[in-house]
Amino acid sequence: MRRFAFIAPLAAVMAIAAAAQAQTDPRITVTLGPKVQADAEKLGEREVARQADRLAEVVGRALAQSDRYDGAEVRLTLTDLKPNRPTFEQVARTPGLSAIDSLSIGGAEVEIEVVRPNGDRSTGRVDYFSHSLVEVRGFSTWQDADHAYARVASRLAEGRI
């Protein structure tokens, strides 16, 4: 019984700490630009939604390690998105397209706006696309897009936006 009495206050303290952390962490939102919205049907809407979530996750993880943007709003707009390998939707719609053998130049472009608690704004744009098939490394459908997300996260974490 004594052990339970210790756990309840500990849980309350952790809940309060989590709420305080949530108030200071940057709020990250990801929206889709017009080009990505137009391409969503042919790429697969679920795939595109996953990529928006992935971008928010990568940036959130990087910013959690820094207090540079505490209380800020980080607005990310995914303006271009190209897979390195066909998505499930593309394979389903295109006979002869191979999810294993087909390879493409991929990447992503992200526009960034940071609104700090005092109202200051800063903007930037980060992209990464392979220039040739020789540059495509890895076997992931979204290999180059992930590279672009890492660049966005790195630039934000280093304060270069």
Side-chain angles (χ1 to χ4, degrees):
M1 187 66 141
R2 199 149 176 87
R3 188 178 337 143
F4 181 71
F6 172 73
I7 292 173
L10 180 62
V13 168
M14 290 179 71
I16 291 169
Q21 180 73 14
Q23 290 172 354
T24 61
D25 281 347
R27 188 174 68 183
I28 300 169
T29 58
V30 178
T31 58
L32 304 178
K35 185 176 187 321
V36 175
Q37 287 178 12
D39 291 344
E41 187 176 333
K42 72 179 182 181
L43 292 173
E45 291 181 16
R46 194 167 74 193
E47 288 274 348
V48 172
R50 275 193 207 137
Q51 289 308 301
D53 291 344
R54 174 80 178 133
L55 173 59
E57 174 191 336
V58 170
V59 169
R61 200 172 332 129
L63 294 183
Q65 305 299 317
S66 166
D67 61 355
R68 186 177 309 274
Y69 296 106
D70 282 354
E73 184 175 348
V74 178
R75 300 174 184 162
L76 306 171
T77 304
L78 196 53
T79 56
D80 199 0
L81 183 64
K82 296 189 180 343
N84 290 104
R85 298 200 180 271
T87 63
F88 290 119
E89 185 69 27
Q90 289 174 314
V91 170
R93 289 177 177 237
T94 310
L97 191 61
S98 170
I100 297 170
D101 298 323
S102 298
L103 186 64
S104 181
I105 295 170
E109 177 181 62
V110 180
E111 291 180 359
I112 305 159
E113 180 182 25
V114 177
V115 181
R116 290 179 176 77
N118 65 2
D120 288 348
R121 293 175 185 267
S122 56
T123 61
R125 185 184 67 80
V126 176
D127 67 359
Y128 178 83
F129 293 93
S130 297
H131 296 294
S132 71
L133 292 177
V134 175
E135 292 180 5
V136 177
R137 294 178 291 258
F139 299 100
S140 165
T141 301
W142 299 103
Q143 185 72 33
D144 288 338
D146 277 338
H147 191 79
Y149 305 157
R151 278 188 174 187
V152 170
S154 173
R155 292 209 181 142
L156 280 166
E158 294 170 2
R160 294 190 290 151
I161 300 287

